[in-house]
Amino acid sequence: LVLEGTPVRLSGEDVTRGTFTQRHLQFSDFESGEGYVPLKHLDQNQAKFEAVDSSLSEFAVMGFEFGYSVADPLTLVMWEAQFGDFVNGAQIIIDQFVCSAEAKWNQPSGLVLLLPHGLEGQGPEHSSARIERFLQLCAENNLQICNCTTPAQYFHLLRRQMYGGADRRGIRKPLIIFTPKFLLRYPKAASRLEELTGGSFQDVIGDSQYLGGQIRRVLFCSGKVYYDLLNKREETGRTDIAIIRIEQLYPFPLQRIADILRRYSESAELFWVQEEPENMGAWYFVEEQMQPFINPGAGGGPLKRQLRYVGRALAASPAAGAHKVHHDQQEALVEEAFSAAPSAVRKARRLVRKKR
């Protein structure tokens, strides 16, 4: 981006090295203490690059970065939480400005929030960026909510923010990315060079190797739980289960999902699998979007076809406090997704409304 003339700004707690040491933007001279950022010295004609380790005030820093994105719409402005959970310290900025500034004041913003998210046994304060809260704020095409599972997807998503359309104009909508932690070093979460140099962001990733009438169950998911499901399918040798990744949760890619579902029999079971508790994560939102589509015209009658839930039970806390409890829960939900008669599934919570 900077070589193409697009300035880039990244701020947040420990962003120069990355909270999970996934990023090494700045090197320090151990004799003088002077910092050196290689991305500032790629070419003498490059655009400006900034990486700012900020104070531990999410409210203040996110508010500043929102203002920066408004004042300089030609810069890719990103704010990264140390853990996604800590975004709640800036909830006022999100509610009053990020999600509603365009609707209230016709003031667009292209601010990007990078929120590390994923249940990994590190406890309730280091697991959840509260996907459900952001999805509740979505309406009138006001936000972009994404959860990438590959480096190429993340790469193309950031480029789309600045070069979104055919006219290479960026998308002036706030972008919320639930970024991985575990996947940063996971061997299967890798992309080939050609996937970076070519292609584009995919809002849904289908299962190209598992198609046709032999598929008896389709698992929809988002985020790192995909790799748990993939490993289980490889371990069991199952060829009758397809796994579909929804990489963009809002705007919800219903047409793309419809195109993918046409590849499978109408008798195939449909499940939404998530690692978050049932009252959290994307389940309620996804069900609301998909259920009317997969069972159109049901009115007040019985549901002939439904999207069912597999995941953790309702909970007050985002995650278990003990690593063993987390592991047992994660293993159990993956087992349920592949069991012959899942016992933990939740049926649709509501009947499809009659069309007016």
Side-chain angles (χ1 to χ4, degrees):
L1 285 171
V2 294
L3 288 175
E4 293 172 328
T6 296
V8 174
R9 174 180 172 83
L10 172 65
S11 77
E13 302 153 15
D14 298 324
V15 295
T16 55
R17 72 170 183 89
T19 297
F20 312 104
T21 63
Q22 82 276 16
R23 183 188 299 126
H24 299 281
L25 292 178
Q26 178 171 299
F27 297 93
S28 297
D29 187 311
F30 70 89
E31 292 182 345
S32 67
E34 183 179 356
Y36 178 79
V37 179
L39 285 176
K40 290 184 177 181
H41 308 283
L42 298 176
D43 187 273
Q44 55 182 311
N45 297 318
Q46 73 174 74
K48 185 178 182 180
F49 178 84
E50 288 184 288
V52 183
D53 289 331
S54 67
S55 63
L56 303 182
S57 172
E58 291 81 8
F59 171 79
V61 179
M62 189 191 295
F64 181 88
E65 300 305 333
F66 174 82
Y68 200 115
S69 73
V70 167
D72 188 359
L74 298 181
T75 292
L76 174 62
V77 181
M78 298 175 287
W79 177 83
E80 182 176 66
Q82 192 166 48
F83 285 87
D85 313 66
F86 301 169
V87 75
N88 58 15
Q91 198 66 49
I92 295 173
I93 300 299
I94 295 167
D95 293 342
Q96 299 297 111
F97 297 95
V98 174
C99 76
S100 57
E102 187 170 10
K104 293 190 292 188
W105 309 307
N106 198 29
Q107 177 59 72
S109 166
L111 178 64
V112 179
L113 303 185
L114 306 175
L115 309 181
H117 173 88
L119 275 69
E120 300 169 14
Q122 297 185 48
E125 315 307 335
H126 298 90
S127 298
S128 176
R130 296 289 191 176
I131 291 176
E132 65 281 357
R133 289 182 181 173
F134 284 96
L135 292 175
Q136 272 197 322
L137 297 173
C138 291
E140 301 178 320
N141 198 31
N142 63 332
L143 299 172
Q144 307 167 80
I145 310 293
C146 298
N147 194 357
C148 303
T149 56
T150 72
Q153 284 283 88
Y154 178 57
F155 174 81
H156 289 301
L157 185 56
L158 290 181
R159 291 186 58 78
R160 186 182 77 169
Q161 189 70 359
M162 303 311 295
Y163 302 139
D167 55 0
R168 289 179 67 82
R169 295 179 62 183
I171 300 177
R172 302 308 297 160
K173 303 284 184 180
L175 170 61
I176 319 300
I177 308 179
F178 296 100
T179 58
K181 295 175 288 182
F182 168 76
L183 298 187
L184 291 170
R185 296 175 179 82
Y186 191 60
K188 291 185 178 179
S191 297
R192 298 186 302 275
L193 185 59
E194 55 267 28
E195 293 175 313
L196 297 166
T197 57
S200 60
F201 177 73
Q202 303 177 66
D203 47 18
V204 182
I205 300 180
D207 201 337
S208 58
Q209 293 184 337
Y210 290 79
L211 301 170
Q214 78 274 15
I215 299 300
R216 303 190 330 188
R217 182 176 299 173
V218 179
L219 304 178
F220 290 93
C221 65
S222 185
K224 79 174 188 67
V225 73
Y226 163 74
Y227 291 98
D228 292 327
L229 299 174
L230 180 66
N231 290 336
K232 185 66 175 179
R233 185 171 66 181
E234 292 176 351
E235 175 190 320
T236 58
R238 296 286 291 272
T239 59
D240 60 339
I241 294 180
I243 308 172
I244 312 299
R245 285 173 276 177
I246 300 181
E247 302 275 291
Q248 177 174 291
L249 291 163
Y250 188 85
F252 193 71
L254 187 58
Q255 184 56 55
R256 173 69 175 136
I257 292 171
D259 294 341
I260 289 175
L261 278 178
R262 291 191 185 99
R263 304 171 183 174
Y264 303 104
S265 168
E266 289 192 1
S267 63
E269 298 175 306
L270 305 179
F271 290 85
W272 172 259
V273 184
Q274 68 177 34
E275 57 184 6
E276 300 85 1
E278 183 180 354
N279 55 317
M280 303 178 196
W283 161 236
Y284 286 171
F285 177 84
V286 170
E287 183 205 6
E288 186 77 31
Q289 302 297 315
M290 287 185 61
Q291 189 58 49
F293 163 72
I294 62 177
N295 196 52
L303 297 177
K304 297 179 181 178
R305 195 180 191 202
Q306 58 186 318
L307 180 70
R308 296 190 287 174
Y309 169 86
V310 171
R312 284 174 168 81
L314 297 159
S317 174
H323 188 273
K324 184 180 187 306
V325 174
H326 157 79
H327 180 269
D328 291 345
Q329 291 176 343
Q330 194 81 359
E331 191 174 67
L333 74 88
V334 173
E335 287 286 344
E336 288 288 348
F338 283 80
S339 64
S343 59
V345 300
R346 314 294 192 273
K347 295 184 178 180
R349 296 174 298 118
R350 62 188 72 79
L351 297 177
V352 180
R353 300 180 182 91
K354 291 183 179 179
K355 295 182 179 179
R356 295 182 179 179

